[in-house]
Amino acid sequence: MGYNITADEIREQFSQAMSAMYQQEVPQYGTLLELVADVNLAVLEHNPRLHEQLVNADELARLNVERHGAIRVGTAEELSWLRRMFAVMGMYPVSYYDLSQAGVPVHSTAFRPVDDAALARNPFRIFTSLLRLELIENESLRNKAAAILAKRDIFTPACRQLIELHELNGGFTEPQANAFVQEALETFRWHRHATVDEQTYQALHNEHRLIADVVCFPGCHINHLTPRTLDIDRVQALMPKYGIEPKILIEGPPRRDVPILLRQTSFKALDEPVLFNGEHQGTHTARFGEIEQRGVALTPKGRALYDQLLAEAGTGKDNLTHQLHLQDVFKAFPDSEMLLRKQDLAWFRYRLTPTGEAHRQAIRPGDDPQPLIERGWVVAQPITYEDFLPVSAAGIFQSNLGNETQARSHGNASKAQFEAALGCPVLDEFTLYQEASERSKRRCGLL
Ligand code: OOG
Ligand code: NI
């Protein structure tokens, strides 16, 4: 039998199926996709140089399929099964995020592809948070939540069987892959029927809205999907025209000539009808839409400077003031590809030009790429940031909890506990970017 379906193909199929399902569930997300597609088209039309850069860096093809989503789970067992499910799609846990710094009782990782070809094909990521019941102070409520979670199964039996089959055989046939995508989708589908009565829902909700969201439903519904835009300021400005109410602040760094890391904004979570005990009507507010603009990944040195400047800037009450203030503070962050490279602030991928190929034998391991770039032998392309930012994620969480501009506290990280629940260590994002950069240097003979 031919186990001939690649992980990339399964991920691509799954990401499309999720997007189709979420457009049906939350029609505003469909509107957001249209808005982002319109803006991206306009940006490319007006900026032929950017268009060409994206084509050369293999970035344009992935732009229209690119998105991330987010889910929240309740138990270690759910998290470790998700790890196995995402592995089938070539998605691995990268980085640890402590969201308790936002007053949110979860910690998280992002499942995503890690190698160059997989990222270029479809970089679908799922930001995955695990509820930290130990942060619920009320003991009886904590026990109640744990008991409710212990009873549910967020995976279909066929889904579990297919995951085990894949682990056994190391691959899927086409019918198995199709069945897997359909079964996996069920884990993330929205259910209007809560698994608890209204009193229990309210008690958990009063402790923290997020706890009710994680505990009271039969699955871990996808809570947002996020397309990638080339101009987030424009999308933010146009949202109201499309009937979408944006969150107050765009999170992350300011607008720059060379975009760095990740800028994000979202629309507010919708009030949706739910049923308690199969009949009693109520509402639940959890699901929203988000957009992101991605820039170059930063080295540890660049990231330290980013974190420092972001902390210095603080948060603002309205977006215009906040962005102007950010731009002012971020004047301390060099804003040209050459300076970012020279000062070792960002990661780049190196390629030989045809002239460079012709002079390959003149290039020595350890050579400084800069003069070769100036001579036209080598080009350096910014490596796109594929991960998330804890302060921004905190802002996204908070905007949906109704206290967006609240001060951010220190948190209570517990990476070891998270990894124990996950069943493996998370990968280090800096190592992944460094390896990508070094692979490219080696191909050029620079290493
Ligand atoms: C996740 C929020 C974080 C992002 O893009 O930073 C996030 C959630 O609300 O579950 O998705
Ligand atoms: Ni998100």
Side-chain angles (χ1 to χ4, degrees):
M1 239 204 295
Y3 297 118
N4 52 358
I5 305 296
T6 64
D8 288 348
E9 285 168 321
I10 302 172
R11 182 175 68 260
E12 171 99 354
Q13 204 183 324
F14 179 74
S15 125
Q16 275 169 14
M18 282 278 261
S19 184
M21 180 174 83
Y22 203 58
Q23 281 178 67
Q24 284 217 318
E25 291 182 351
V26 179
Q28 261 205 5
Y29 163 67
T31 311
L32 191 66
L33 283 182
E34 281 168 30
L35 167 57
V36 167
D38 290 350
V39 167
N40 287 355
L41 212 60
V43 170
L44 291 171
E45 262 175 29
H46 288 114
N47 197 339
R49 212 178 85 85
L50 176 69
H51 189 278
E52 191 189 313
Q53 271 174 357
L54 289 172
V55 171
N56 288 341
D58 275 344
E59 287 272 327
L60 195 60
R62 76 178 222 184
L63 185 67
N64 295 324
V65 298
E66 174 160 358
R67 58 187 66 95
H68 82 253
I71 53 173
R72 305 152 183 171
V73 295
T75 67
E77 217 214 321
E78 291 172 354
L79 183 66
S80 70
W81 270 94
L82 283 171
R83 167 178 58 78
R84 295 164 65 183
M85 176 198 277
F86 289 131
V88 172
M89 306 182 222
M91 295 159 76
Y92 305 97
V94 181
S95 282
Y96 170 77
Y97 303 93
D98 169 29
L99 275 306
S100 68
Q101 63 181 313
V104 182
V106 302
H107 45 186
S108 320
T109 190
F111 291 96
R112 67 162 176 92
V114 293
D115 67 65
D116 295 343
L119 286 165
R121 168 76 187 265
N122 185 323
F124 188 54
R125 326 162 177 84
I126 296 274
F127 191 89
T128 303
S129 300
L130 174 65
L131 182 63
R132 298 175 71 181
L133 284 177
E134 79 275 12
L135 298 185
I136 302 182
E137 275 163 30
N138 177 335
E139 190 185 334
S140 76
L141 201 62
R142 185 166 67 227
N143 294 338
K144 187 158 195 179
I148 298 166
L149 287 169
K151 277 195 293 210
R152 77 172 182 186
D153 186 350
I154 64 172
F155 304 97
T156 67
C159 182
R160 285 179 193 276
Q161 282 161 15
L162 283 161
I163 291 170
E164 281 167 347
L165 192 70
H166 191 277
E167 287 171 352
L168 199 69
N169 295 332
F172 274 156
T173 63
E174 193 175 334
Q176 285 168 348
N178 294 338
F180 169 79
V181 167
Q182 287 316 307
E183 296 296 333
L185 210 55
E186 291 309 310
T187 298
F188 309 104
R189 191 183 291 286
W190 169 245
H191 296 272
R192 287 197 311 134
H193 290 258
T195 54
V196 301
D197 57 34
E198 188 167 18
Q199 257 178 332
T200 308
Y201 176 89
Q202 281 308 338
L204 292 167
H205 189 279
N206 291 347
E207 183 73 23
H208 202 293
R209 179 149 97 196
L210 217 89
I211 302 175
D213 183 55
V214 176
V215 174
C216 300
F217 297 92
C220 65
H221 42 264
I222 179 92
N223 70 52
H224 67 273
L225 280 177
T226 307
R228 177 175 170 191
T229 179
L230 298 172
D231 187 346
I232 197 166
D233 300 286
R234 183 132 185 86
V235 176
Q236 172 93 355
L238 284 173
M239 271 202 231
K241 281 210 185 99
Y242 282 66
I244 303 173
E245 189 197 346
K247 93 188 260 304
I248 301 168
L249 302 181
I250 298 178
E251 299 287 345
R255 189 182 184 93
R256 294 160 41 93
D257 286 341
V258 183
I260 54 171
L261 297 173
L262 174 63
R263 303 180 70 204
Q264 292 166 286
T265 183
S266 59
F267 65 73
K268 297 273 178 64
L270 310 169
D271 291 328
E272 297 176 279
V274 290
L275 295 171
F276 299 106
N277 297 334
E279 47 182 65
H280 183 74
Q281 305 266 344
T283 63
H284 180 63
T285 314
R287 303 192 309 150
F288 58 101
E290 185 191 34
I291 51 166
E292 63 184 19
Q293 180 169 1
R294 289 188 177 264
V296 65
L298 300 184
T299 62
K301 184 181 168 200
R303 180 54 184 270
L305 181 58
Y306 170 77
D307 287 337
Q308 181 205 319
L309 296 178
L310 193 75
E312 200 177 310
T315 65
K317 293 273 176 249
D318 70 84
N319 194 45
L320 188 66
T321 319
H322 181 56
Q323 295 304 324
L324 289 173
H325 180 55
L326 271 180
Q327 283 190 349
D328 206 34
V329 174
F330 271 77
K331 285 195 177 122
F333 206 117
D335 193 12
S336 80
E337 289 188 9
M338 190 186 64
L339 288 174
L340 291 172
R341 258 194 330 267
K342 278 190 166 168
Q343 297 186 22
D344 191 28
L345 293 167
W347 298 111
F348 290 83
R349 195 173 271 129
Y350 299 88
R351 285 186 191 187
L352 290 182
T353 62
T355 327
E357 276 303 346
H359 294 86
R360 196 177 247 288
Q361 72 294 344
I363 298 174
R364 300 266 169 276
D367 279 356
D368 177 3
Q370 190 56 36
L372 302 175
I373 292 169
E374 283 159 23
R375 207 179 298 164
W377 290 12
V378 168
V379 286
Q381 289 155 342
I383 297 183
T384 299
Y385 188 58
E386 306 287 353
D387 294 290
F388 294 86
L389 299 169
V391 174
S392 298
I396 302 281
F397 267 108
Q398 280 170 343
S399 79
N400 283 299
L401 298 167
N403 51 0
E404 176 167 351
T405 53
Q406 160 193 304
R408 285 147 190 185
S409 64
H410 272 305
N412 179 2
S414 182
K415 187 178 178 194
Q417 210 185 355
F418 184 84
E419 291 180 332
L422 182 67
C424 73
V426 296
L427 298 167
D428 176 55
E429 61 180 70
F430 291 113
T431 308
L432 294 173
Y433 296 118
Q434 181 171 355
E435 284 171 357
S437 173
E438 287 177 358
R439 271 196 301 276
S440 75
K441 279 189 171 171
R442 221 168 280 126
R443 280 195 296 269
C444 298
L446 285 162
L447 206 70

